[in-house]
Amino acid sequence: MPLDPQRFLDDLHKLRSFGASGVGKGVMRQAYSDADIAARRWLAGRMEEAGLEPHFDPLGNLFGLAGERSMLVGSHSDSQPEGGWLDGALGVVAGLEVARAAREAGRPPISCVSFQDEEGRFGVLTGSDVWTGKLVLEEADGLTDTAGNTLAEMRGKMAGLAGNFLPHNRFSGFLEMHIEQGPYLEETGLGLGVVTDIVGIRDMRISFEGRQNHAGTTPMHLRRDAFQALSSFNTALNSRIAEVVNPATVWTIGHVALHPNASSVVPGRVEFSMQWRDADADRLARMETLIRKTAQEIAADHNVTAELGTVMGIEPAAMDARFQAELAAAAEALAPGKWQKMPSGALHDAANLATVMPAGMLFVPSIGGISHAFDEDTYEADLVLGLQVLDSAARALAG
Ligand code: HGY
Ligand code: MN
Ligand code: MN
């Protein structure tokens, strides 16, 4: 039996050793970090050993190519600044194992992939945004991370490896296996999820500029305090947004940079991320209008200025009906009655790939619904069952 679950698990643990956090099974492997690049070099070596042709494109997306035209299976191997060992890595190593097994068995070719910067150090799903043509390379190059590094500088670290962008029609479709990253599969006890749709997202940076001053001598009524503005903005938004959202809508202020961030100084500037997600593009637009209006009104109330950055986003995406059906058939054959159809609240490269080829996704449960945290985990039996279902569906679709 060429599909080798132990080899898959061994490779998954080896991948974690690049950027291993020392806390639980966590990793720190942000896109273009030394750990990320070392991991990609190691993955390229494993592809080569398997008889797949490693190919880096100008973004650092790494493909393991088989045949002249094939199915593509994979995910991403970059992590959040503090990430778990499975987010993305699971789908990459599963893709490698499925492609390797197909080759060893002499079956129709399957290629594998690890996309770059899925976690949005620079953009939203930067590597697949550029490859699928959503974002032009020149524009992407000017994007900065929260420390002010540009994408152009960071991808320059991989310039020696880079080849061309591959044509999309080299691939007949895309399959991605991922951890659910939420609580539903565990709650329902149905161990596998066949993804129907992926939510849309909007992401922007907002800053409030006030007046930096002495925290002991500046009377409250004369202050132009950037933190107070942010605090009021958050409170006002949470109350006003109720008119627009539904129970599945989510919004997050996840990154805040307060300047100068010192206890005896009235803060003069704050820059923060504002992200919102929903399955309905119209609702995403209505939320944007409300966010802009609230930011401007609160800025005026606090005598600070508001600067609203460019909104980046991904549209809600439906997964291909045939790919859903093959995943469902494989799940039913290997785990009868133990799977469900479900939408994804997390973003995935499959949302971008769905704009250029048929795409499908399979979820396995996350213990406690935890992800984007060091203690993210999944039972080994679920990882292996997911691999087997993915392989079965990939074979049917490649065949
Ligand atoms: O943020 C997300 O949904 C994904 O993990 N990039
Ligand atoms: Mn992911
Ligand atoms: Mn993630």
Side-chain angles (χ1 to χ4, degrees):
M1 182 74 178
L3 189 74
D4 185 338
Q6 193 55 51
R7 177 172 63 177
F8 153 76
L9 290 170
D10 290 347
D11 278 351
L12 196 52
H13 283 282
K14 176 69 185 174
L15 180 51
R16 189 187 92 78
S17 71
F18 297 93
S21 71
V23 181
K25 288 181 176 168
V27 294
M28 292 184 289
R29 201 168 57 229
Q30 260 200 303
Y32 308 106
S33 62
D34 290 347
D36 169 58
I37 295 171
R40 281 171 198 275
R41 285 182 183 275
W42 170 78
L43 277 167
R46 290 300 274 161
M47 289 169 180
E48 203 156 21
E49 285 162 23
L52 304 163
E53 181 199 338
H55 178 94
F56 286 95
D57 75 10
L59 257 288
N61 296 320
L62 168 60
F63 296 80
L65 298 172
E68 295 201 338
R69 189 163 190 272
S70 67
M71 276 290 296
L72 182 64
V73 186
S75 188
H76 62 97
S77 54
D78 63 301
S79 82
Q80 287 287 329
E82 290 192 1
W85 74 301
L86 297 172
D87 179 356
L90 172 63
V92 168
V93 177
L96 171 65
E97 181 57 32
V98 166
R100 179 159 65 187
R103 193 177 152 77
E104 285 171 358
R107 291 194 303 255
I110 294 176
S111 300
C112 58
V113 64
S114 169
F115 287 109
Q116 182 55 296
D117 198 23
E118 192 275 349
E119 298 290 11
R121 175 177 175 185
F122 292 96
V124 180
L125 306 171
T126 323
S128 61
D129 278 349
V130 174
W131 184 50
T132 58
K134 230 194 100 233
L135 181 64
V136 292
L137 185 59
E138 292 68 29
E139 202 182 317
D141 269 344
L143 296 174
T144 52
D145 64 9
T146 52
N149 301 297
T150 64
L151 174 63
E153 286 158 14
M154 290 299 115
R155 75 181 181 89
K157 291 167 70 175
M158 300 185 71
L161 300 169
N164 298 335
F165 283 114
L166 295 169
H168 304 139
N169 64 8
R170 198 188 177 304
F171 306 106
S172 54
F174 177 64
L175 273 182
E176 179 168 7
M177 171 177 165
H178 206 282
I179 50 168
E180 180 204 344
Q181 308 184 276
Y184 295 110
L185 287 174
E186 209 174 56
E187 264 173 31
T188 61
L190 299 174
L192 295 164
V194 174
V195 177
T196 52
D197 304 85
I198 300 176
V199 293
I201 188 171
R202 300 289 181 267
D203 209 320
M204 75 194 294
R205 289 187 197 163
I206 302 178
S207 57
F208 290 131
E209 181 93 44
R211 170 70 226 185
Q212 182 176 328
N213 211 338
H214 196 292
T217 60
T218 313
M220 296 309 283
H221 72 282
L222 290 181
R223 291 186 182 199
R224 298 171 57 212
D225 183 327
F227 175 77
Q228 292 298 332
L230 169 57
S231 171
S232 299
F233 167 75
N234 183 53
T235 305
L237 184 67
N238 284 347
S239 96
R240 293 178 188 184
I241 213 161
E243 301 155 18
V244 183
V245 298
N246 75 14
T249 314
V250 292
W251 60 100
T252 309
I253 296 175
H255 179 264
V256 175
L258 189 65
H259 186 84
N261 211 16
S263 51
S264 290
V265 185
V266 176
R269 179 177 175 82
V270 67
E271 195 177 305
F272 59 97
S273 60
M274 181 76 237
Q275 185 193 90
W276 60 107
R277 307 187 191 207
D278 194 89
D280 176 355
D282 290 340
R283 183 174 290 112
L284 291 171
R286 292 199 298 280
M287 290 173 78
E288 179 178 344
T289 304
L290 182 68
I291 287 163
R292 288 182 179 280
K293 186 165 171 276
T294 305
Q296 296 295 1
E297 284 177 13
I298 295 294
D301 288 351
H302 286 264
N303 201 15
V304 302
T305 55
E307 200 180 307
L308 296 125
T310 314
V311 177
M312 295 193 284
I314 303 273
E315 297 313 310
M319 297 293 96
D320 180 83
R322 189 167 65 99
F323 280 42
Q324 287 186 50
E326 290 296 356
L327 285 165
E332 182 59 24
L334 290 162
K338 289 284 185 189
W339 62 276
Q340 67 179 86
K341 291 205 169 192
M342 63 185 294
S344 172
L347 278 184
H348 300 288
D349 293 304
N352 275 335
L353 273 283
T355 65
V356 294
M357 65 186 74
M361 280 200 83
L362 177 70
F363 281 166
V364 293
S366 293
I367 297 173
I370 301 295
S371 187
H372 285 186
F374 286 149
D375 50 347
E376 161 194 290
D377 209 354
T378 295
Y379 295 111
E380 206 164 87
D382 290 330
L383 299 175
V384 170
L385 177 61
L387 171 74
Q388 289 162 336
V389 170
L390 181 78
D391 179 65
S392 171
R395 287 166 65 170
L397 290 163

